[in-house]
């Protein structure tokens, strides 16, 4: 196998990431939940 063929083989295999198919609504809700939790923590600690 040449170096070029090895590079092409690696480029085809995916290791995951933002393009993975999945329930995007769960990811969206988890992100907003994290935002709310951080906002409550900041408020409780009196940092705002």
């Amino acid at each position: 196998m040449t170096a070029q063929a090895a590079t092409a083989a690696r480029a085809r295999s995916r290791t995951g990431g933002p393009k993975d198919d999945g329930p995007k609504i769960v990811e969206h809700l988890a992100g907003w939940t994290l935002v709310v939790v951080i906002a409550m923590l900041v408020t409780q600690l009196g940092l705002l």
Side-chain angles (χ1 to χ4, degrees), residues 3-38:
Q4 186 178 8
T7 303
R10 255 183 288 152
R12 281 193 307 267
S13 64
R14 291 195 41 94
T15 58
K19 297 286 184 184
D20 287 345
D21 292 333
K24 296 197 185 301
I25 187 71
V26 174
E27 203 172 313
H28 194 75
L29 288 174
W32 277 108
T33 302
L34 182 63
V35 167
V36 170
V37 168
I38 291 173

